[in-house]
Amino acid sequence: EYMGRTFKNHMGIPRERYVQPVDDEFLCSICHEVLEQPVTLNRCDHHFCRQCITPHITETAECPVCRGAAHVNDIRPISRPFNNFLNKQKLHCRFLVRGCPETCAMEQLATHEKDCGFAPAWCTNKGCPHHSYEGMNSINRKDLSEHITECEWQTVSCKRGCGMRFPSNQIQNHKSTCDLAKLKCEKGCGARVPRKDMQTHLDEECMVCVGKCPVSGCTFTAIRGDSKKWETHDRESGVQHTRLITKQLNVVLNDLHSAKRELDLAREESEKANKKLKSTTEELQAVKSQLAAVGWSTIHHDTNGAVWAVNGIAANRRNEADLYSPEFTFRTSQPYYRYSFKLNMEFSPDGIGFYFIVRPGPVPETLRWPFNHRVHVKVANQVEESFSRETMLDHSRLTQDLPSEDNTEGLGRSVLLTNEQLDSGDFVMNDQLIVIVSLN
């Protein structure tokens, strides 16, 4: 908006912004304002704003002044003297209507308006009329800091320390509800007490309220500030107070004896529980040892495969158990192509079924599915030398189910090692089977 006129998506510079009147030869023939980014047509030398003439020629293919044929390739920048003359003309700052008195040449105007103190700014405090970004609620940029400091909508904390935060113009309203605001005693004793402590003050401290004798069991009451009555009561009720206090002490002693008996019982129960816990821990350790005897142990593994010893073969065949190997990570020949791999053994009346599970490793975005590496599952003849065993049984398969958005694991095809094959060589020794997996 400038001097009462609104120029939305305006092409050309409003003539009113120039300090001196601009001659008609510097006006655009389309928007009739002073040329902005002035250009001319090669064929007729008519002048236009670049944003005005480009869409016009694209649509009509003719000059809007002489109607001669024209093409966007005919558009060229206007001559340098012409352009320099326009750039040196002084213009009012576009914030003149807000009070800015500055005038600048076109080539300096953008720098000035970027930092102009009369540019619109908005208060950061919610609720303030100048907080809105719509309409004319803005204030001048140069006045913003002072406004925010004095704004009645700035958020403040309760000075009494209750923790509440609210606009500064709500201080009086908050005072009427703040728990830490000090109030005069409701009964008129003259004390000033925080609102949250008023009832306690009336029940236990106020000198114009009726108080009860602090000795438990004594029914005497009097106004707390009536010292003569309290002195008379203390003098006349000494024997009664002694009896009441003695009675209370006996009750406390009985309670202490009962608590001691309960503590002794609790200590005995604790000792029993500790013994039971020790026994259970020993049993658990024994179970863990048994489980270790019928599980997997890793002999060797690297990024290209693994060698495992599977213990408890007889028990697993008898119980038709399922065993999963420890998971390990390997990489392909391409950098960072990592996968996690584990092998599953299913014991059945027919033998042992082998299949493997593959899923993305630490850098899944670099993986390329399907997983097309050949997996060799081998059961070793244990009579040969270590790590040079003859692998009598060699089962190689590709994956069957590939990972997807709904399934992040790939499963290999199941391969059966029959009981006849298992018993045909020296594969099981000391109730242990050696399984070798390699990836090609």
Side-chain angles (χ1 to χ4, degrees):
E1 184 169 327
Y2 179 81
M3 298 180 66
R5 293 180 59 190
T6 300
F7 302 95
K8 187 175 182 181
N9 297 325
H10 198 275
M11 293 179 286
I13 303 171
R15 284 171 285 180
E16 295 89 339
R17 292 196 60 181
Y18 283 83
V19 176
Q20 300 294 331
V22 179
D23 194 81
D24 289 349
E25 67 174 310
F26 297 102
L27 302 183
C28 174
S29 299
I30 295 178
C31 67
H32 305 294
E33 300 290 359
V34 180
L35 292 166
E36 182 177 13
Q37 297 181 12
V39 295
T40 186
L41 297 179
N42 281 333
R43 302 185 184 187
C44 58
D45 284 339
H46 289 127
H47 308 319
F48 309 94
C49 302
R50 181 178 292 278
Q51 293 183 14
C52 294
I53 191 60
T54 302
H56 178 86
I57 289 182
T58 302
E59 181 178 352
T60 66
E62 65 178 15
C63 172
V65 177
C66 64
R67 303 301 179 189
H71 189 270
V72 290
N73 292 335
D74 296 328
I75 300 174
R76 61 177 172 81
I78 208 161
S79 66
R80 182 175 298 178
F82 193 107
N83 199 41
N84 290 343
F85 178 82
L86 280 177
N87 285 338
K88 292 179 180 179
Q89 298 303 303
K90 290 202 170 185
L91 292 86
H92 294 288
C93 172
R94 65 189 176 102
F95 303 121
L96 173 65
V97 70
R98 301 180 64 89
C100 180
E102 293 293 326
T103 59
C104 304
M106 172 64 75
E107 53 193 2
Q108 301 167 344
L109 191 62
T111 300
H112 163 74
E113 291 181 346
K114 179 181 177 182
D115 301 321
C116 181
F118 292 87
W122 290 268
C123 179
T124 56
N125 298 317
K126 290 185 178 180
C128 175
H130 300 294
H131 180 71
S132 173
Y133 285 82
E134 299 177 358
M136 297 299 293
N137 292 327
S138 60
I139 56 179
N140 289 336
R141 181 188 293 158
K142 66 184 182 64
D143 302 325
L144 182 60
S145 297
E146 181 180 357
H147 166 81
I148 290 178
T149 302
E150 300 175 353
C151 180
E152 62 178 10
W153 288 93
Q154 64 177 312
T155 303
V156 296
S157 300
C158 175
K159 294 181 179 179
R160 301 174 189 85
C162 75
M164 294 294 293
R165 291 176 60 81
F166 42 83
S168 59
N169 59 5
Q170 301 294 318
I171 290 179
Q172 291 302 320
N173 292 340
H174 172 70
K175 184 178 180 181
S176 64
T177 59
C178 180
D179 286 340
L180 298 183
K182 290 189 174 182
L183 309 176
K184 290 183 179 180
C185 174
E186 297 175 359
K187 300 299 182 180
C189 74
R192 294 180 64 82
V193 184
R195 178 180 279 106
K196 69 182 182 64
D197 299 330
M198 182 60 71
Q199 191 60 48
T200 302
H201 168 75
L202 295 176
D203 294 340
E204 301 176 6
E205 302 169 355
C206 181
M207 301 306 290
V208 299
C209 292
V210 175
K212 185 179 179 181
C213 179
V215 178
S216 180
C218 181
T219 58
F220 175 79
T221 59
I223 294 175
R224 292 190 184 92
D226 193 341
S227 58
K228 290 184 178 180
K229 283 189 177 182
W230 286 103
E231 289 173 0
T232 301
H233 169 68
D234 291 340
R235 186 170 55 252
E236 296 176 351
S237 303
V239 175
Q240 180 189 8
H241 285 174
T242 301
R243 291 174 181 171
L244 291 172
I245 293 173
T246 301
K247 183 179 179 181
Q248 293 172 26
L249 287 175
N250 289 332
V251 171
V252 171
L253 288 174
N254 289 334
D255 291 342
L256 286 174
H257 289 312
S258 298
K260 185 177 181 303
R261 286 194 296 272
E262 292 176 0
L263 182 60
D264 292 338
L265 290 173
R267 187 179 292 112
E268 292 176 3
E269 293 295 330
S270 176
E271 291 176 355
K272 291 179 181 178
N274 286 334
K275 290 180 180 179
K276 187 174 181 180
L277 177 61
K278 183 178 179 181
S279 175
T280 303
T281 302
E282 292 174 352
E283 293 175 0
L284 179 60
Q285 189 62 40
V287 171
K288 286 183 177 179
S289 299
Q290 294 174 5
L291 290 176
V294 292
W296 297 74
S297 60
T298 303
I299 297 176
H300 172 78
H301 82 79
D302 55 28
T303 56
N304 297 312
V307 181
W308 290 298
V310 185
N311 305 306
I313 296 300
N316 286 318
R317 293 177 74 176
R318 184 170 57 253
N319 298 328
E320 298 182 8
D322 286 355
L323 295 180
Y324 288 91
S325 74
E327 187 173 283
F328 73 96
T329 300
F330 67 92
R331 62 175 180 264
T332 66
S333 58
Q334 297 187 20
Y336 307 114
Y337 273 44
R338 296 186 178 183
Y339 300 87
S340 291
F341 179 94
K342 60 183 176 182
L343 185 69
N344 176 244
M345 295 173 61
E346 293 180 332
F347 291 83
S348 69
D350 299 324
I352 305 175
F354 293 86
Y355 70 87
F356 58 88
I357 299 173
V358 181
R359 61 184 178 183
V363 194
E365 64 272 12
T366 66
L367 301 181
R368 184 173 299 164
W369 298 100
F371 175 83
N372 57 4
H373 303 281
R374 187 171 295 277
V375 178
H376 301 275
V377 181
K378 306 176 183 181
V379 178
N381 186 321
Q382 299 191 52
V383 176
E384 303 297 327
E385 294 181 3
S386 177
F387 293 104
S388 62
R389 302 179 179 89
E390 179 182 2
T391 52
M392 299 297 295
L393 304 171
D394 188 344
H395 303 282
S396 303
R397 293 292 187 275
L398 300 181
T399 55
Q400 159 179 301
D401 299 319
L402 301 178
S404 64
E405 292 183 358
D406 299 324
N407 178 24
T408 59
E409 292 186 341
L411 303 179
R413 292 188 180 92
S414 180
V415 178
L416 179 64
L417 175 62
T418 66
N419 289 326
E420 290 76 11
Q421 291 174 309
L422 185 64
D423 296 333
S424 64
D426 296 321
F427 299 113
V428 179
M429 293 187 66
N430 299 322
D431 203 27
Q432 185 182 76
L433 192 70
I434 302 296
V435 179
I436 302 173
V437 173
S438 59
L439 300 112
N440 183 15

